[in-house]
Amino acid sequence: MDGAEIRARRKALKMSQAEFGQALGLTGDFIGRLERGTATIEPRTEAAIRALKPAPLRRTPQLHDPVERIIEKALIEAGIDFTTDDGGGNDSRLDFYLPGFDIAIEVKRFYSSRTGEQMARAPNVIVAQGITAVNFLAAALRSGDFFHFLHAGR
């Protein structure tokens, strides 16, 4: 973990340096030093940072499709803001759109010949096909460690 990842995690949690520091039992000034790379990131600090998770969203699941509902519940529990295609909620017409990450998610119980056409609707698409893949994606979303994957790709 480096200062840029700490900053990315703090921003994803929508916290100021002072709020982030308070959640970790540190000062906001020290968080700034960690982000700038002028303070050493101790293993216990890194573990505490990785353990921080967003608060769940204040919404209740609305989707009727049971497979889509698995992902909807995981997004709510993980505190990840999203829109759905239910009622035309997102331009790509894919099942979910995560505006904070510019990622769309399409959920499929089985293979569909429409999958290729659907994937072409958005530049960044995750397709979860099959109940095992959907449950895996839901568990990954709930884990909160998606911050690492987003940071690694930049």
Side-chain angles (χ1 to χ4, degrees):
M1 178 176 286
D2 62 14
E5 184 178 350
I6 291 172
R7 182 178 298 110
R9 284 175 177 264
R10 177 179 61 79
K11 289 186 178 275
L13 291 166
K14 298 179 175 81
M15 294 178 147
S16 68
Q17 288 179 338
E19 292 166 334
F20 197 68
Q22 184 176 15
L24 297 167
L26 303 169
T27 66
D29 179 61
F30 189 70
I31 297 300
R33 291 178 48 219
L34 289 173
E35 290 180 359
R36 289 188 300 279
T38 59
T40 302
I41 304 166
E42 298 291 334
R44 67 178 177 261
T45 304
E46 181 175 342
I49 290 169
R50 288 190 188 282
L52 289 176
K53 308 281 189 257
L57 300 177
R58 292 184 178 194
R59 37 191 300 190
T60 56
Q62 303 291 317
L63 298 177
H64 299 289
D65 180 284
V67 180
E68 290 177 10
R69 195 172 175 101
I70 292 169
I71 299 299
E72 181 185 29
K73 285 181 174 180
L75 290 168
I76 290 169
E77 291 171 21
I80 301 172
D81 188 35
F82 66 94
T83 60
T84 69
D85 69 341
D86 193 42
N90 59 51
D91 293 337
S92 68
R93 299 181 329 273
L94 296 175
D95 294 325
F96 300 93
Y97 177 67
L98 317 181
F101 303 104
D102 191 27
I103 294 174
I105 299 174
E106 181 64 22
V107 180
K108 300 276 187 210
R109 184 180 302 265
F110 304 105
Y111 174 77
S112 166
S113 59
R114 298 180 340 156
T115 302
E117 179 268 324
Q118 288 173 307
M119 289 180 61
R121 293 183 193 163
N124 301 303
V125 182
I126 296 170
V127 177
Q129 179 178 299
I131 194 67
T132 301
V134 169
N135 284 326
F136 180 86
L137 178 57
L141 291 167
R142 285 187 188 98
S143 79
D145 209 25
F146 53 87
F147 295 116
H148 170 73
F149 298 113
L150 290 172
H151 176 71
R154 292 181 188 198

